[in-house]
Amino acid sequence: MAMARRSASHLLTSFRPFSLLLQSHLADAPSPAAAAAAASARRAMSSASVLRARDDKDVAKWRESMDRMRNIGISAHIDSGKTTLTERVLYYTGRIHEIHEVRGRDGVGAKMDSMDLEREKGITIQSAATYCTWKGYQVNIIDTPGHVDFTIEVERALRVLDGAILVLCSVGGVQSQSITVDRQMRRYEIPRVAFINKLDRMGADPWKVLSQARSKLRHHNAAVQVPIGLEEEFEGLVDLVELKAYKFEGSSGQNVTASDIPSNMQDLVMEKRRELIEVVSEVDDQLAEAFLNDEPIEANELKAAIRRATVARKFIPVYMGSAFKNKGVQPLLDGVLDYLPCPMEVENYALDQNKSEEKWKSVEMVLLAGTPAEPLVALAFKLEEGRFGQLTYLRIYDGVIRKGDFIHNVNTGKKIKVPRLVRMHSNEMEDIQEAHAGQIVAVFGVDCASGDTFTDGTVKYTMTSMNVPEPVMSLAVSPISKDSGGQFSKALNRFQREDPTFRVGLDPESGQTIISGMGELHLDIYVERIKREYKVDAKVGKPRVNFRETITQRAEFDYLHKKQSGGQGQYGRVCGYIEPLPSGADSKFEFENMIIGQAIPSNFIPAIEKGFREACNSGSLIGHPVENIRIVLTDGASHQVDSSELAFKLASIYAFRQCYVAARPVILEPVMKVELKFPTEFQGTVTGDMNKRKGIIVGNEQEGDDTVIVCHVPLNNMFGYATAIRSVTQGKGEFTMEYLEHNTVSQDVQMQLVNAYKATKGTE
């Protein structure tokens, strides 16, 4: 019995620690609410890891998609073969199924020249966007005009591209517009490859063009191909990286056959390959090490080095071929994939919307990640009036845009829905549901201006603006029929929105509509488009040059504007001086208030500045704007009752007119840089004609049987020169011109202009 009790008590004592443990565990156990929270946290953690895995998968997918994407532009001098090259690219990538020529006899015209005017004249007027697929890579292409009058189309295309093909003519070499386009590429820091076209033409010399690119464009370049034969004997190309010979067979050169290098070219190929390695190793340390150690350099090593140097903009690989004869286009496409950057390899910067671009010069800009995972940032770089309303071309820098999304226009503050999202193929479009960073797309029904930035509303970034040159020529236009005034205004408004270099104004004296642009061809095209697209016949006045006026010395002003006529009068006195701005000043007009004290209440100062700005819109010599002027306000007087903003504004205008003549004003005229190319036999007559036009010859060189002259000529003396050069060179001469600067006119020209202006004012 005792034994049973003892064993029972032993059992109890042995179980006591367990019971105590159970009690303590129950005391530490969380409440049901806490347990539910813990379970929820565990579920959130597991779902977060699932999401992260899904995000990682998405990021990997995006990264692969962006690695296999190229945004390129094709730019060159007039008639170098840009549109012909794009036509071949589209054909070989399967985007089009037959080739049409720029001035083709079949009357169809090249795919990228979708406008009737482009097909008739055989020139590109608007940049056209398309996309194609080559070897699993998506290539977005913008074909740009070569004519200097349409330079804004090149500017805005290069603003949004990651890489470019600079096309050079193997006969013409580096020409004036080649230099302009290359300058634009440098401005936007664009990696590029060069393509020497037209090797089938008589006089083709790619090595001459290569050395011209080094001397005139300061390119650090080398050929990555050697042609097999030239002119009529041009058969194919030897690849210096892979050391293979390629020939292009089939009716349209679609079959590329690889073979060994011809035995008679072995020495030349090895010499050119060594030159290529040497030039690349100058800018790439990894290749330089192998080159200096005399190690054999494999094709993949050389390819990787060329890519590094090209993306870093230290080297330009040079390709060769003949787009018209369907030779060399496929290797060039391979070069675009091998050597030009994908969107993630290019640095794009945005500005804080609350600060102006000038202030950002000393502040670090925002570097965009360039991935779809970031908030949306997109730039509207081109507008077009389509059949379904305004078509806005967008380059997406960050994030994703979807059909039906709401996007914010940072420049206007408006929130807009995306009704339709399309991918462009010249003038055809393909509807898409979404697009991500790196792509170029177009949206319908979005009201905006060229250069506006769109975001999803979470960030307030704006992309840096593009360079817009000032117009150099004006024309007076008016509709012949008064009934068509509405359509005429609609056309001008549309063209102004589409083209930042096309300006429309009203002559305050004659009441005529004045259109301004980059040259005769530019304005002629717009007048023709008004006629064709809006069925409005326009009467065109004589071309007018955009003169400017400026002052040459300091002049004081002290003017009292006083008017009393029952009730409140007008009273305002301004004193100070005007003086010319130093050459190279950032602004063309400066106003400075140096009044100490309250001689003029501070609330009237903006009205005084406004008055002076208005007065500068029309100088007294020939009624053109006055620039390069600094106005300093030193003193003045006001009346407690009679002073008003209007009184001080009028006082400023009259004060400016009073002292303007004393500041010895002069007229500035636009001077053009003109490049002439003509057979040497006509050198005497062409040079004599240029001297008559007051041209200053700054360059003269010989290119085979042709002479190339570069000169600076006043635009006013260049009207109708296209006809003149044809007549003196029997139709064999050609010329290009671009704006250089505004320069002071001679005294006799100034007198003529002033007298002509007074005569027109006298007859009104």
Side-chain angles (χ1 to χ4, degrees):
M1 187 79 176
M3 191 179 162
R5 253 195 322 269
R6 229 180 6 254
S7 62
S9 71
H10 175 72
L11 260 172
L12 280 168
T13 52
S14 64
F15 272 102
R16 195 172 291 132
F18 174 73
S19 61
L20 286 169
L21 187 68
L22 187 63
Q23 282 171 2
S24 69
H25 178 71
L26 287 170
D28 292 343
S31 64
S40 169
R42 279 195 299 277
R43 276 197 304 276
M45 280 172 69
S46 65
S47 65
S49 61
V50 170
L51 277 171
R52 200 177 301 116
R54 196 182 300 157
D55 283 352
D56 289 345
K57 201 182 287 181
D58 284 348
V59 167
K61 187 179 166 188
W62 284 333
R63 190 172 290 279
E64 187 185 357
S65 161
M66 291 179 76
D67 276 341
R68 302 182 80 80
M69 186 188 293
R70 300 288 182 271
N71 292 317
I72 63 161
I74 298 178
S75 301
H77 186 81
I78 314 148
D79 282 343
S80 293
K82 299 176 294 300
T83 306
T84 307
L85 174 63
T86 313
E87 189 80 359
R88 269 54 179 185
V89 167
L90 295 178
Y91 178 73
Y92 297 134
T93 56
R95 287 296 288 141
I96 57 174
H97 303 297
E98 55 184 339
I99 294 172
H100 294 287
E101 300 308 334
V102 171
R103 288 193 183 93
R105 290 176 186 167
D106 56 7
V108 177
K111 178 71 194 173
M112 301 303 276
D113 285 349
S114 57
M115 202 189 286
D116 289 342
L117 269 169
E118 292 180 315
R119 292 181 175 181
E120 278 175 31
K121 292 180 180 283
I123 59 168
T124 302
I125 293 168
Q126 289 185 328
S127 54
T130 188
Y131 65 95
C132 55
T133 307
W134 181 251
K135 296 187 176 175
Y137 284 73
Q138 186 186 322
V139 183
N140 295 313
I141 302 171
I142 297 184
D143 175 31
T144 62
H147 204 287
V148 70
D149 283 23
F150 309 109
T151 190
I152 187 65
E153 292 289 333
V154 185
E155 283 279 347
R156 55 184 169 195
L158 294 177
R159 170 69 188 81
V160 297
L161 294 171
D162 303 324
I165 299 172
L166 177 65
V167 184
L168 300 167
C169 174
S170 65
V171 182
V174 174
Q175 293 157 289
S176 60
Q177 189 65 4
S178 315
I179 297 167
T180 306
V181 166
D182 188 70
R183 193 186 310 126
Q184 290 169 322
M185 289 178 181
R186 282 179 199 276
R187 184 183 300 136
Y188 296 111
E189 298 182 341
I190 291 184
R192 52 206 179 276
V193 300
F195 179 66
I196 299 175
N197 196 14
K198 304 189 178 184
L199 290 188
D200 60 304
R201 276 185 51 187
M202 263 186 85
D205 185 353
W207 308 114
K208 176 198 78 174
V209 180
L210 197 76
S211 65
Q212 277 185 353
R214 286 174 183 167
S215 59
K216 290 186 178 181
L217 303 177
R218 301 193 310 281
H219 279 185
H220 187 76
N221 63 7
V224 290
Q225 294 172 330
V226 172
I228 302 171
L230 284 172
E231 300 177 2
E232 289 176 357
E233 295 168 9
F234 178 50
E235 292 177 15
L237 298 155
V238 174
D239 187 325
L240 296 177
V241 179
E242 304 281 353
L243 289 175
K244 284 181 184 172
Y246 291 104
K247 294 199 176 175
F248 307 88
E249 293 163 358
S251 58
S252 303
Q254 65 271 38
N255 303 323
V256 183
T257 57
S259 59
D260 292 334
I261 302 164
S263 55
N264 62 337
M265 290 185 68
Q266 288 281 0
D267 293 345
L268 175 67
V269 167
M270 295 323 291
E271 180 200 326
K272 292 294 178 188
R273 189 174 199 263
R274 184 173 176 80
E275 185 187 317
L276 169 65
I277 294 167
E278 202 171 316
V279 171
V280 177
S281 63
E282 284 174 23
V283 290
D284 186 81
D285 294 342
Q286 288 181 38
L287 190 71
E289 199 175 325
F291 176 66
L292 292 170
N293 293 336
D294 275 341
E295 294 171 14
I297 291 165
E298 299 297 322
N300 56 352
E301 283 179 73
L302 181 53
K303 197 178 273 189
I306 294 172
R307 180 175 178 78
R308 285 192 299 271
T310 306
V311 171
R313 302 189 311 282
K314 293 177 180 174
F315 174 73
I316 296 171
V318 179
Y319 284 81
M320 300 179 187
S322 166
F324 184 68
K325 295 287 183 184
N326 311 313
K327 292 185 172 84
V329 178
Q330 295 96 322
L332 175 65
L333 273 169
D334 292 340
V336 165
L337 308 187
D338 291 339
Y339 304 134
L340 289 182
C342 72
M344 289 190 298
E345 291 175 295
V346 178
E347 291 186 347
N348 290 301
Y349 291 90
L351 304 169
D352 191 306
Q353 200 266 333
N354 301 317
K355 297 176 184 175
S356 70
E357 290 189 34
E358 288 79 22
K359 289 177 186 172
W360 268 103
K361 284 178 183 172
S362 58
V363 181
E364 196 178 337
M365 289 185 176
V366 182
L367 176 63
L368 298 178
T371 67
E374 299 295 316
L376 173 70
V377 178
L379 175 72
F381 68 94
K382 179 174 158 66
L383 308 179
E384 236 176 61
E385 197 68 32
R387 287 168 293 174
F388 310 105
Q390 182 176 298
L391 183 66
T392 306
Y393 286 77
L394 291 179
R395 160 70 201 260
I396 306 165
Y397 288 97
D398 265 353
V400 179
I401 187 170
R402 295 180 182 86
K403 183 182 171 182
D405 274 2
F406 282 96
I407 56 174
H408 293 253
N409 185 333
V410 180
N411 300 68
T412 62
K414 288 181 183 174
K415 188 179 177 184
I416 307 157
K417 189 176 182 180
V418 180
R420 191 177 170 199
L421 194 62
V422 295
R423 257 195 314 196
M424 298 304 296
H425 177 43
S426 185
N427 60 339
E428 295 168 15
M429 52 197 80
E430 175 198 329
D431 280 280
I432 54 174
Q433 293 304 308
E434 69 169 43
H436 60 70
Q439 290 187 318
I440 293 171
V441 293
V443 291
F444 270 111
V446 171
D447 186 36
C448 66
S450 185
D452 283 0
T453 306
F454 291 96
T455 68
D456 58 3
T458 57
V459 290
K460 276 197 169 185
Y461 295 158
T462 54
M463 301 306 295
T464 49
S465 57
M466 59 196 150
N467 180 58
V468 179
E470 283 295 311
V472 294
M473 189 182 289
S474 300
L475 279 177
V477 288
S478 57
I480 291 171
S481 164
K482 288 189 177 176
D483 300 338
S484 52
Q487 285 291 91
F488 181 68
S489 302
K490 196 175 170 185
L492 293 181
N493 285 336
R494 173 197 157 185
F495 295 147
Q496 242 185 313
R497 285 166 71 90
E498 288 181 9
D499 185 350
T501 57
F502 179 73
R503 312 273 170 88
V504 179
L506 203 66
D507 189 324
E509 284 147 16
S510 64
Q512 287 178 303
T513 302
I514 307 292
I515 58 170
S516 306
M518 299 306 296
E520 277 181 283
L521 179 64
H522 190 209
L523 297 177
D524 286 349
I525 291 289
Y526 277 119
V527 171
E528 188 67 25
R529 285 182 68 187
I530 291 170
K531 185 178 176 181
R532 290 187 184 210
E533 294 172 32
Y534 289 88
K535 308 290 185 283
V536 176
D537 281 315
K539 187 169 65 182
V540 181
K542 183 182 178 291
R544 296 191 343 171
V545 173
N546 287 356
F547 291 105
R548 294 284 181 267
E549 296 182 28
T550 192
I551 56 172
T552 55
Q553 66 181 35
R554 176 172 159 158
E556 309 279 338
F557 61 83
D558 181 352
Y559 188 84
L560 171 63
H561 175 65
K562 191 175 176 182
K563 194 174 180 186
Q564 195 70 43
S565 56
Q568 186 183 349
Q570 291 180 8
Y571 185 95
R573 182 181 172 209
V574 289
C575 307
Y577 58 89
I578 62 173
E579 63 181 4
L581 281 169
S583 59
D586 290 338
S587 63
K588 293 177 180 176
F589 174 93
E590 275 184 23
F591 175 80
E592 194 171 344
N593 175 21
M594 292 181 72
I595 295 177
I596 297 165
Q598 285 289 311
I600 299 174
S602 56
N603 56 313
F604 293 134
I605 301 298
I608 294 170
E609 182 177 353
K610 192 177 178 186
F612 279 119
R613 280 188 186 275
E614 270 187 36
C616 286
N617 284 339
S618 177
S620 60
L621 287 180
I622 54 170
H624 280 260
V626 182
E627 56 182 42
N628 298 331
I629 187 168
R630 181 168 178 257
I631 297 167
V632 180
L633 189 65
T634 56
D635 201 0
S638 63
H639 189 277
Q640 281 187 339
V641 179
D642 290 349
S643 286
S644 64
E645 288 190 357
L646 177 64
F648 275 107
K649 183 179 160 186
L650 291 170
S652 309
I653 292 170
Y654 295 133
F656 182 80
R657 289 178 187 169
Q658 179 197 58
C659 69
Y660 187 61
V661 177
R664 290 183 56 196
V666 291
I667 298 169
L668 304 173
E669 65 180 345
V671 175
M672 309 302 280
K673 180 185 175 189
V674 180
E675 185 175 289
L676 304 150
K677 188 173 183 180
F678 50 87
T680 306
E681 61 194 276
F682 303 110
Q683 186 165 357
T685 49
V686 172
T687 311
D689 185 52
M690 265 297 126
N691 289 333
K692 273 189 210 166
R693 294 171 189 270
K694 298 188 177 172
I696 299 166
I697 294 169
V698 292
N700 188 342
E701 59 183 62
Q702 207 70 22
E703 281 188 10
D705 296 335
D706 290 339
T707 297
V708 178
I709 287 179
V710 179
C711 46
H712 298 164
V713 196
L715 175 62
N716 206 28
N717 302 339
M718 285 300 289
F719 290 126
Y721 189 64
T723 313
I725 191 170
R726 285 190 196 115
S727 64
V728 297
T729 61
Q730 298 171 10
K732 296 172 187 171
E734 58 181 49
F735 80 102
T736 56
M737 67 176 182
E738 60 178 299
Y739 170 72
L740 181 70
E741 61 184 352
H742 268 78
N743 226 330
T744 314
V745 301
S746 58
Q747 200 59 40
D748 59 322
V749 173
Q750 180 155 323
M751 286 301 296
Q752 284 173 20
L753 291 168
V754 170
N755 292 337
Y757 175 67
K758 284 178 181 171
T760 53
K761 284 202 79 174
T763 57
E764 285 167 8

